[in-house]
PDB file of all heavy atoms in Angstrom:
ATOM      1  N   ALA S   1     177.893  -2.132  59.519  1.00  0.00           N
ATOM      2  CA  ALA S   1     178.034  -1.445  60.805  1.00  0.00           C
ATOM      3  C   ALA S   1     177.682  -2.318  61.993  1.00  0.00           C
ATOM      4  O   ALA S   1     178.022  -1.981  63.135  1.00  0.00           O
ATOM      5  CB  ALA S   1     177.157  -0.193  60.816  1.00  0.00           C
ATOM      6  N   PHE S   2     177.011  -3.443  61.764  1.00  0.00           N
ATOM      7  CA  PHE S   2     176.568  -4.274  62.883  1.00  0.00           C
ATOM      8  C   PHE S   2     177.736  -4.751  63.746  1.00  0.00           C
ATOM      9  O   PHE S   2     177.774  -4.497  64.963  1.00  0.00           O
ATOM     10  CB  PHE S   2     175.792  -5.491  62.362  1.00  0.00           C
ATOM     11  CG  PHE S   2     174.311  -5.316  62.426  1.00  0.00           C
ATOM     12  CD1 PHE S   2     173.560  -5.208  61.264  1.00  0.00           C
ATOM     13  CD2 PHE S   2     173.652  -5.265  63.637  1.00  0.00           C
ATOM     14  CE1 PHE S   2     172.200  -5.038  61.313  1.00  0.00           C
ATOM     15  CE2 PHE S   2     172.287  -5.094  63.703  1.00  0.00           C
ATOM     16  CZ  PHE S   2     171.558  -4.988  62.536  1.00  0.00           C
ATOM     17  N   LEU S   3     178.661  -5.466  63.159  1.00  0.00           N
ATOM     18  CA  LEU S   3     179.759  -6.047  63.951  1.00  0.00           C
ATOM     19  C   LEU S   3     180.644  -4.970  64.588  1.00  0.00           C
ATOM     20  O   LEU S   3     180.995  -5.090  65.769  1.00  0.00           O
ATOM     21  CB  LEU S   3     180.586  -7.003  63.089  1.00  0.00           C
ATOM     22  CG  LEU S   3     179.875  -8.292  62.651  1.00  0.00           C
ATOM     23  CD1 LEU S   3     180.822  -9.178  61.844  1.00  0.00           C
ATOM     24  CD2 LEU S   3     179.333  -9.057  63.858  1.00  0.00           C
ATOM     25  N   PRO S   4     181.027  -3.896  63.876  1.00  0.00           N
ATOM     26  CA  PRO S   4     181.804  -2.847  64.553  1.00  0.00           C
ATOM     27  C   PRO S   4     181.053  -2.217  65.722  1.00  0.00           C
ATOM     28  O   PRO S   4     181.645  -1.941  66.771  1.00  0.00           O
ATOM     29  CB  PRO S   4     182.048  -1.820  63.436  1.00  0.00           C
ATOM     30  CG  PRO S   4     181.996  -2.601  62.185  1.00  0.00           C
ATOM     31  CD  PRO S   4     180.964  -3.657  62.417  1.00  0.00           C
ATOM     32  N   GLY S   5     179.745  -1.988  65.561  1.00  0.00           N
ATOM     33  CA  GLY S   5     178.970  -1.388  66.646  1.00  0.00           C
ATOM     34  C   GLY S   5     178.931  -2.267  67.879  1.00  0.00           C
ATOM     35  O   GLY S   5     179.151  -1.799  69.006  1.00  0.00           O
ATOM     36  N   PHE S   6     178.678  -3.554  67.669  1.00  0.00           N
ATOM     37  CA  PHE S   6     178.616  -4.462  68.815  1.00  0.00           C
ATOM     38  C   PHE S   6     180.009  -4.775  69.359  1.00  0.00           C
ATOM     39  O   PHE S   6     180.155  -5.085  70.541  1.00  0.00           O
ATOM     40  CB  PHE S   6     177.877  -5.744  68.428  1.00  0.00           C
ATOM     41  CG  PHE S   6     176.399  -5.530  68.252  1.00  0.00           C
ATOM     42  CD1 PHE S   6     175.807  -5.612  67.005  1.00  0.00           C
ATOM     43  CD2 PHE S   6     175.596  -5.203  69.337  1.00  0.00           C
ATOM     44  CE1 PHE S   6     174.444  -5.389  66.837  1.00  0.00           C
ATOM     45  CE2 PHE S   6     174.245  -4.984  69.191  1.00  0.00           C
ATOM     46  CZ  PHE S   6     173.662  -5.076  67.937  1.00  0.00           C
ATOM     47  N   LEU S   7     181.037  -4.681  68.507  1.00  0.00           N
ATOM     48  CA  LEU S   7     182.411  -4.825  68.993  1.00  0.00           C
ATOM     49  C   LEU S   7     182.743  -3.708  69.983  1.00  0.00           C
ATOM     50  O   LEU S   7     183.306  -3.971  71.059  1.00  0.00           O
ATOM     51  CB  LEU S   7     183.390  -4.786  67.817  1.00  0.00           C
ATOM     52  CG  LEU S   7     184.876  -4.682  68.180  1.00  0.00           C
ATOM     53  CD1 LEU S   7     185.339  -5.932  68.912  1.00  0.00           C
ATOM     54  CD2 LEU S   7     185.731  -4.440  66.922  1.00  0.00           C
ATOM     55  N   LEU S   8     182.379  -2.478  69.643  1.00  0.00           N
ATOM     56  CA  LEU S   8     182.630  -1.358  70.559  1.00  0.00           C
ATOM     57  C   LEU S   8     181.839  -1.526  71.847  1.00  0.00           C
ATOM     58  O   LEU S   8     182.359  -1.265  72.945  1.00  0.00           O
ATOM     59  CB  LEU S   8     182.257  -0.042  69.883  1.00  0.00           C
ATOM     60  CG  LEU S   8     183.187   0.423  68.760  1.00  0.00           C
ATOM     61  CD1 LEU S   8     182.631   1.675  68.096  1.00  0.00           C
ATOM     62  CD2 LEU S   8     184.588   0.677  69.289  1.00  0.00           C
ATOM     63  N   SER S   9     180.584  -1.953  71.736  1.00  0.00           N
ATOM     64  CA  SER S   9     179.780  -2.192  72.934  1.00  0.00           C
ATOM     65  C   SER S   9     180.442  -3.240  73.824  1.00  0.00           C
ATOM     66  O   SER S   9     180.512  -3.084  75.054  1.00  0.00           O
ATOM     67  CB  SER S   9     178.374  -2.654  72.533  1.00  0.00           C
ATOM     68  OG  SER S   9     177.599  -2.960  73.676  1.00  0.00           O
ATOM     69  N   PHE S  10     180.973  -4.305  73.210  1.00  0.00           N
ATOM     70  CA  PHE S  10     181.668  -5.359  73.973  1.00  0.00           C
ATOM     71  C   PHE S  10     182.911  -4.798  74.658  1.00  0.00           C
ATOM     72  O   PHE S  10     183.178  -5.110  75.837  1.00  0.00           O
ATOM     73  CB  PHE S  10     182.046  -6.510  73.046  1.00  0.00           C
ATOM     74  CG  PHE S  10     182.942  -7.535  73.678  1.00  0.00           C
ATOM     75  CD1 PHE S  10     182.428  -8.488  74.546  1.00  0.00           C
ATOM     76  CD2 PHE S  10     184.302  -7.538  73.420  1.00  0.00           C
ATOM     77  CE1 PHE S  10     183.264  -9.428  75.156  1.00  0.00           C
ATOM     78  CE2 PHE S  10     185.144  -8.466  74.010  1.00  0.00           C
ATOM     79  CZ  PHE S  10     184.614  -9.421  74.884  1.00  0.00           C
ATOM     80  N   LEU S  11     183.679  -3.969  73.932  1.00  0.00           N
ATOM     81  CA  LEU S  11     184.886  -3.384  74.531  1.00  0.00           C
ATOM     82  C   LEU S  11     184.524  -2.509  75.731  1.00  0.00           C
ATOM     83  O   LEU S  11     185.206  -2.553  76.768  1.00  0.00           O
ATOM     84  CB  LEU S  11     185.636  -2.546  73.491  1.00  0.00           C
ATOM     85  CG  LEU S  11     186.345  -3.302  72.364  1.00  0.00           C
ATOM     86  CD1 LEU S  11     186.942  -2.319  71.364  1.00  0.00           C
ATOM     87  CD2 LEU S  11     187.437  -4.214  72.922  1.00  0.00           C
ATOM     88  N   PHE S  12     183.451  -1.724  75.614  1.00  0.00           N
ATOM     89  CA  PHE S  12     183.026  -0.862  76.719  1.00  0.00           C
ATOM     90  C   PHE S  12     182.634  -1.695  77.933  1.00  0.00           C
ATOM     91  O   PHE S  12     183.032  -1.398  79.071  1.00  0.00           O
ATOM     92  CB  PHE S  12     181.839   0.003  76.293  1.00  0.00           C
ATOM     93  CG  PHE S  12     182.125   0.966  75.177  1.00  0.00           C
ATOM     94  CD1 PHE S  12     181.087   1.495  74.404  1.00  0.00           C
ATOM     95  CD2 PHE S  12     183.428   1.350  74.878  1.00  0.00           C
ATOM     96  CE1 PHE S  12     181.339   2.382  73.382  1.00  0.00           C
ATOM     97  CE2 PHE S  12     183.698   2.232  73.844  1.00  0.00           C
ATOM     98  CZ  PHE S  12     182.645   2.750  73.097  1.00  0.00           C
ATOM     99  N   ILE S  13     181.821  -2.726  77.701  1.00  0.00           N
ATOM    100  CA  ILE S  13     181.342  -3.569  78.810  1.00  0.00           C
ATOM    101  C   ILE S  13     182.505  -4.308  79.460  1.00  0.00           C
ATOM    102  O   ILE S  13     182.620  -4.357  80.699  1.00  0.00           O
ATOM    103  CB  ILE S  13     180.276  -4.561  78.305  1.00  0.00           C
ATOM    104  CG1 ILE S  13     179.006  -3.807  77.897  1.00  0.00           C
ATOM    105  CG2 ILE S  13     179.949  -5.601  79.373  1.00  0.00           C
ATOM    106  CD1 ILE S  13     177.976  -4.672  77.207  1.00  0.00           C
ATOM    107  N   ALA S  14     183.388  -4.887  78.624  1.00  0.00           N
ATOM    108  CA  ALA S  14     184.520  -5.646  79.166  1.00  0.00           C
ATOM    109  C   ALA S  14     185.417  -4.746  80.015  1.00  0.00           C
ATOM    110  O   ALA S  14     185.862  -5.142  81.109  1.00  0.00           O
ATOM    111  CB  ALA S  14     185.320  -6.262  78.024  1.00  0.00           C
ATOM    112  N   TYR S  15     185.655  -3.534  79.545  1.00  0.00           N
ATOM    113  CA  TYR S  15     186.506  -2.615  80.294  1.00  0.00           C
ATOM    114  C   TYR S  15     185.890  -2.287  81.651  1.00  0.00           C
ATOM    115  O   TYR S  15     186.585  -2.316  82.684  1.00  0.00           O
ATOM    116  CB  TYR S  15     186.724  -1.337  79.485  1.00  0.00           C
ATOM    117  CG  TYR S  15     187.478  -0.259  80.230  1.00  0.00           C
ATOM    118  CD1 TYR S  15     188.833  -0.398  80.502  1.00  0.00           C
ATOM    119  CD2 TYR S  15     186.834   0.903  80.668  1.00  0.00           C
ATOM    120  CE1 TYR S  15     189.528   0.588  81.193  1.00  0.00           C
ATOM    121  CE2 TYR S  15     187.519   1.889  81.356  1.00  0.00           C
ATOM    122  CZ  TYR S  15     188.864   1.723  81.622  1.00  0.00           C
ATOM    123  OH  TYR S  15     189.550   2.693  82.315  1.00  0.00           O
ATOM    124  N   CYS S  16     184.603  -1.988  81.670  1.00  0.00           N
ATOM    125  CA  CYS S  16     183.942  -1.634  82.936  1.00  0.00           C
ATOM    126  C   CYS S  16     183.948  -2.797  83.919  1.00  0.00           C
ATOM    127  O   CYS S  16     184.200  -2.619  85.118  1.00  0.00           O
ATOM    128  CB  CYS S  16     182.505  -1.188  82.665  1.00  0.00           C
ATOM    129  SG  CYS S  16     182.362   0.419  81.859  1.00  0.00           S
ATOM    130  N   LEU S  17     183.664  -4.004  83.420  1.00  0.00           N
ATOM    131  CA  LEU S  17     183.616  -5.152  84.319  1.00  0.00           C
ATOM    132  C   LEU S  17     185.007  -5.524  84.822  1.00  0.00           C
ATOM    133  O   LEU S  17     185.170  -5.916  85.993  1.00  0.00           O
ATOM    134  CB  LEU S  17     182.966  -6.343  83.598  1.00  0.00           C
ATOM    135  CG  LEU S  17     181.484  -6.167  83.224  1.00  0.00           C
ATOM    136  CD1 LEU S  17     180.940  -7.444  82.584  1.00  0.00           C
ATOM    137  CD2 LEU S  17     180.653  -5.792  84.442  1.00  0.00           C
ATOM    138  N   ILE S  18     186.017  -5.406  83.974  1.00  0.00           N
ATOM    139  CA  ILE S  18     187.387  -5.706  84.417  1.00  0.00           C
ATOM    140  C   ILE S  18     187.844  -4.682  85.449  1.00  0.00           C
ATOM    141  O   ILE S  18     188.437  -5.042  86.487  1.00  0.00           O
ATOM    142  CB  ILE S  18     188.343  -5.747  83.204  1.00  0.00           C
ATOM    143  CG1 ILE S  18     188.028  -6.956  82.320  1.00  0.00           C
ATOM    144  CG2 ILE S  18     189.801  -5.798  83.673  1.00  0.00           C
ATOM    145  CD1 ILE S  18     188.799  -6.974  81.016  1.00  0.00           C
ATOM    146  N   ARG S  19     187.563  -3.396  85.189  1.00  0.00           N
ATOM    147  CA  ARG S  19     187.909  -2.366  86.172  1.00  0.00           C
ATOM    148  C   ARG S  19     187.202  -2.618  87.503  1.00  0.00           C
ATOM    149  O   ARG S  19     187.785  -2.456  88.586  1.00  0.00           O
ATOM    150  CB  ARG S  19     187.501  -0.991  85.639  1.00  0.00           C
ATOM    151  CG  ARG S  19     188.466  -0.344  84.676  1.00  0.00           C
ATOM    152  CD  ARG S  19     189.705   0.219  85.365  1.00  0.00           C
ATOM    153  NE  ARG S  19     189.391   1.113  86.463  1.00  0.00           N
ATOM    154  CZ  ARG S  19     189.117   2.398  86.350  1.00  0.00           C
ATOM    155  NH1 ARG S  19     189.097   2.967  85.133  1.00  0.00           N
ATOM    156  NH2 ARG S  19     188.869   3.148  87.410  1.00  0.00           N
ATOM    157  N   SER S  20     185.930  -3.016  87.441  1.00  0.00           N
ATOM    158  CA  SER S  20     185.179  -3.269  88.671  1.00  0.00           C
ATOM    159  C   SER S  20     185.713  -4.470  89.420  1.00  0.00           C
ATOM    160  O   SER S  20     185.698  -4.505  90.658  1.00  0.00           O
ATOM    161  CB  SER S  20     183.690  -3.480  88.333  1.00  0.00           C
ATOM    162  OG  SER S  20     183.141  -2.341  87.724  1.00  0.00           O
ATOM    163  N   ALA S  21     186.196  -5.481  88.678  1.00  0.00           N
ATOM    164  CA  ALA S  21     186.754  -6.668  89.326  1.00  0.00           C
ATOM    165  C   ALA S  21     188.096  -6.356  89.992  1.00  0.00           C
ATOM    166  O   ALA S  21     188.385  -6.845  91.089  1.00  0.00           O
ATOM    167  CB  ALA S  21     186.921  -7.791  88.300  1.00  0.00           C
ATOM    168  N   LEU S  22     188.905  -5.530  89.325  1.00  0.00           N
ATOM    169  CA  LEU S  22     190.222  -5.202  89.862  1.00  0.00           C
ATOM    170  C   LEU S  22     190.158  -4.117  90.930  1.00  0.00           C
ATOM    171  O   LEU S  22     190.986  -4.088  91.846  1.00  0.00           O
ATOM    172  CB  LEU S  22     191.146  -4.754  88.725  1.00  0.00           C
ATOM    173  CG  LEU S  22     191.450  -5.810  87.644  1.00  0.00           C
ATOM    174  CD1 LEU S  22     192.328  -5.210  86.545  1.00  0.00           C
ATOM    175  CD2 LEU S  22     192.125  -7.023  88.258  1.00  0.00           C
ATOM    176  N   GLN S  23     189.193  -3.197  90.802  1.00  0.00           N
ATOM    177  CA  GLN S  23     189.009  -2.112  91.766  1.00  0.00           C
ATOM    178  C   GLN S  23     187.561  -2.122  92.244  1.00  0.00           C
ATOM    179  O   GLN S  23     186.721  -1.411  91.695  1.00  0.00           O
ATOM    180  CB  GLN S  23     189.325  -0.761  91.124  1.00  0.00           C
ATOM    181  CG  GLN S  23     190.764  -0.574  90.679  1.00  0.00           C
ATOM    182  CD  GLN S  23     190.952   0.764  89.984  1.00  0.00           C
ATOM    183  OE1 GLN S  23     190.790   0.879  88.773  1.00  0.00           O
ATOM    184  NE2 GLN S  23     191.276   1.796  90.763  1.00  0.00           N
ATOM    185  N   PRO S  24     187.238  -2.927  93.232  1.00  0.00           N
ATOM    186  CA  PRO S  24     185.830  -3.061  93.666  1.00  0.00           C
ATOM    187  C   PRO S  24     185.166  -1.735  94.028  1.00  0.00           C
ATOM    188  O   PRO S  24     183.945  -1.605  93.917  1.00  0.00           O
ATOM    189  CB  PRO S  24     185.937  -3.975  94.886  1.00  0.00           C
ATOM    190  CG  PRO S  24     187.208  -4.736  94.676  1.00  0.00           C
ATOM    191  CD  PRO S  24     188.142  -3.808  93.991  1.00  0.00           C
ATOM    192  N   SER S  25     185.956  -0.737  94.399  1.00  0.00           N
ATOM    193  CA  SER S  25     185.350   0.527  94.821  1.00  0.00           C
ATOM    194  C   SER S  25     184.706   1.290  93.667  1.00  0.00           C
ATOM    195  O   SER S  25     183.833   2.130  93.883  1.00  0.00           O
ATOM    196  CB  SER S  25     186.406   1.418  95.481  1.00  0.00           C
ATOM    197  OG  SER S  25     187.458   1.703  94.564  1.00  0.00           O
ATOM    198  N   VAL S  26     185.109   1.029  92.408  1.00  0.00           N
ATOM    199  CA  VAL S  26     184.541   1.789  91.289  1.00  0.00           C
ATOM    200  C   VAL S  26     183.182   1.256  90.854  1.00  0.00           C
ATOM    201  O   VAL S  26     182.423   1.953  90.175  1.00  0.00           O
ATOM    202  CB  VAL S  26     185.500   1.803  90.070  1.00  0.00           C
ATOM    203  CG1 VAL S  26     186.851   2.370  90.456  1.00  0.00           C
ATOM    204  CG2 VAL S  26     185.638   0.433  89.436  1.00  0.00           C
ATOM    205  N   GLY S  27     182.862   0.010  91.241  1.00  0.00           N
ATOM    206  CA  GLY S  27     181.575  -0.562  90.850  1.00  0.00           C
ATOM    207  C   GLY S  27     181.142  -1.659  91.801  1.00  0.00           C
ATOM    208  O   GLY S  27     181.100  -2.831  91.426  1.00  0.00           O
ATOM    209  N   PRO S  28     180.815  -1.320  93.048  1.00  0.00           N
ATOM    210  CA  PRO S  28     180.470  -2.348  94.042  1.00  0.00           C
ATOM    211  C   PRO S  28     179.143  -3.040  93.708  1.00  0.00           C
ATOM    212  O   PRO S  28     178.295  -2.471  93.002  1.00  0.00           O
ATOM    213  CB  PRO S  28     180.347  -1.538  95.338  1.00  0.00           C
ATOM    214  CG  PRO S  28     179.999  -0.154  94.891  1.00  0.00           C
ATOM    215  CD  PRO S  28     180.713   0.045  93.581  1.00  0.00           C
ATOM    216  N   PRO S  29     178.950  -4.265  94.184  1.00  0.00           N
ATOM    217  CA  PRO S  29     177.664  -4.943  93.985  1.00  0.00           C
ATOM    218  C   PRO S  29     176.540  -4.173  94.680  1.00  0.00           C
ATOM    219  O   PRO S  29     176.767  -3.436  95.641  1.00  0.00           O
ATOM    220  CB  PRO S  29     177.879  -6.319  94.634  1.00  0.00           C
ATOM    221  CG  PRO S  29     179.353  -6.467  94.785  1.00  0.00           C
ATOM    222  CD  PRO S  29     179.907  -5.093  94.927  1.00  0.00           C
ATOM    223  N   LEU S  30     175.333  -4.341  94.193  1.00  0.00           N
ATOM    224  CA  LEU S  30     174.190  -3.683  94.822  1.00  0.00           C
ATOM    225  C   LEU S  30     173.875  -4.372  96.142  1.00  0.00           C
ATOM    226  O   LEU S  30     174.074  -5.591  96.284  1.00  0.00           O
ATOM    227  CB  LEU S  30     172.969  -3.748  93.896  1.00  0.00           C
ATOM    228  CG  LEU S  30     173.110  -3.031  92.547  1.00  0.00           C
ATOM    229  CD1 LEU S  30     171.810  -3.159  91.750  1.00  0.00           C
ATOM    230  CD2 LEU S  30     173.459  -1.566  92.737  1.00  0.00           C
ATOM    231  N   PRO S  31     173.380  -3.656  97.141  1.00  0.00           N
ATOM    232  CA  PRO S  31     173.016  -4.291  98.415  1.00  0.00           C
ATOM    233  C   PRO S  31     171.897  -5.309  98.210  1.00  0.00           C
ATOM    234  O   PRO S  31     171.108  -5.203  97.263  1.00  0.00           O
ATOM    235  CB  PRO S  31     172.548  -3.112  99.274  1.00  0.00           C
ATOM    236  CG  PRO S  31     172.240  -2.012  98.317  1.00  0.00           C
ATOM    237  CD  PRO S  31     173.140  -2.205  97.147  1.00  0.00           C
TER     238      PRO S  31
END
């Protein structure tokens, strides 16, 4: 279960960061 669990975690993180890079309004940098 180790690699599948961390694979899903990686997919979640990558998706959020890519969305934030393409759409800055969904995840702006902290002041």
Side-chain angles (χ1 to χ4, degrees):
F2 261 112
L3 292 182
F6 288 111
L7 170 65
L8 289 175
S9 177
F10 171 78
L11 289 176
F12 297 159
I13 292 172
Y15 174 71
C16 289
L17 295 183
I18 292 173
R19 278 285 307 276
S20 299
L22 297 177
Q23 296 177 271
S25 60
V26 303
L30 298 181

